[in-house]
Amino acid sequence: MAWPVSSKDMDQWFENMFPAQWMNRFQNNFPAWGNFPSLLNTQSPSVDIIDRDDEVLVRAEVAGMKKEDVDLSVTNNSITIKGSVQHDKEEEKGDYYRRETCSGSYSRTLPLPCEVVCDKAKAKFKDGMLEVTIPKVEATKRHKVKVD
């Protein structure tokens, strides 16, 4: 294959390397990939950081987790959210026995938009949503300026 390569050439190369039939061996429902929880995708939870007048609000989606599985730490200018989860599923029918294990973990450190008072942070956890409210340092609070 000569460079530069067109997208058509790349598609042909992938088809040659991985023909469509190679996925057929996974369609016998063993292992049951569709039954794994979406927690395998928790390597990087979705996070929103909202800069309010007197505080910073951090929201993280950690669906499928329990609050005991989440580890949270805050510094004066960053927040770290860590978590891990493990699920086991067993099924036994006559001579048939199947066991599937799913585990995953994540760690995400994000910069905060300003300095905060980290020892006054408050966290709530409900329905897979983690909300952390952190007050700003007095010097970094927004001040309105009147325009003449």
Side-chain angles (χ1 to χ4, degrees):
M1 191 179 315
W3 295 96
V5 178
S6 70
S7 65
K8 182 179 177 184
D9 292 337
M10 286 301 289
D11 289 343
Q12 183 61 46
W13 183 81
F14 275 107
E15 180 59 34
N16 291 340
M17 293 297 291
F18 305 103
Q21 296 83 6
W22 82 275
M23 281 297 288
N24 290 344
R25 68 186 73 154
F26 296 111
Q27 294 182 3
N28 294 334
N29 204 26
F30 184 81
W33 300 109
N35 292 337
F36 278 131
S38 63
L39 296 169
L40 291 176
N41 298 327
T42 60
Q43 307 311 335
S44 185
S46 297
V47 177
D48 292 326
I49 298 177
I50 302 163
D51 187 356
R52 295 181 171 168
D53 289 338
D54 294 331
E55 64 189 11
V56 174
L57 175 64
V58 179
R59 288 187 185 137
E61 292 181 30
V62 288
M65 306 286 283
K66 299 176 194 157
K67 68 179 182 179
E68 299 83 30
D69 298 330
V70 178
D71 181 27
L72 180 67
S73 61
V74 179
T75 67
N76 63 346
N77 60 4
S78 69
I79 184 167
T80 300
I81 304 169
K82 296 180 184 179
S84 62
V85 66
Q86 182 168 349
H87 293 281
D88 293 320
K89 182 178 180 183
E90 292 186 48
E91 183 179 352
E92 189 170 353
K93 293 180 182 176
D95 294 340
Y96 171 78
Y97 176 78
R98 178 169 101 189
R99 179 176 181 176
E100 295 180 7
T101 301
C102 172
S103 63
S105 64
Y106 64 84
S107 177
R108 189 160 184 197
T109 300
L110 300 159
L112 295 173
C114 60
E115 283 194 51
V116 294
V117 183
C118 54
D119 59 340
K120 298 216 177 177
K122 294 181 181 178
K124 296 180 192 174
F125 185 89
K126 184 177 181 184
D127 298 329
M129 182 65 74
L130 176 68
E131 286 193 0
V132 184
T133 306
I134 316 161
K136 291 182 178 181
V137 171
E138 186 68 33
T140 62
K141 290 184 182 179
R142 291 188 207 175
H143 297 282
K144 300 272 185 185
V145 178
K146 184 179 177 183
V147 178
D148 293 325

